[in-house]
Amino acid sequence: MPKSNIHPTWFENTPVMCDGKPLCLIGSTKSELQVDIWLANHPFYTDSQVLVDSEGRVEKFMKKYQLDTTD
């Protein structure tokens, strides 16, 4: 005989929140979901991604293999 009342409560319209703003509604076992990263604030999608060349990789490579950069 299977056990009764073992499944969690299902919420049909669970809001997904990011920075206090509702993003969408989904079905979940939690009454509210919090996310830190969303398409609207992700650096890759907002073109705010910064590439940092901290040590000058090209210069380091050229120096390591004693190559001339004045071609």
Side-chain angles (χ1 to χ4, degrees):
M1 176 173 250
K3 292 181 180 180
S4 60
N5 299 325
I6 61 169
H7 296 289
T9 305
W10 185 256
F11 298 95
E12 287 291 327
N13 294 318
T14 300
V16 178
M17 308 287 280
C18 182
D19 296 331
K21 300 178 211 166
L23 301 171
C24 63
L25 297 174
I26 62 169
S28 176
T29 57
K30 301 206 182 254
S31 61
E32 182 178 294
L33 297 172
Q34 294 286 333
V35 295
D36 296 327
I37 300 293
W38 190 254
L39 292 176
N41 67 354
H42 193 280
F44 180 79
Y45 298 108
T46 58
D47 291 331
S48 63
Q49 188 174 17
V50 178
L51 298 176
V52 177
D53 187 13
S54 61
E55 195 174 333
R57 293 182 185 192
V58 174
E59 290 80 12
K60 184 178 176 184
F61 177 85
M62 298 301 261
K63 182 179 174 184
K64 178 179 179 181
Y65 293 104
Q66 300 164 352
L67 300 173
D68 187 16
T69 58
T70 58
D71 285 338

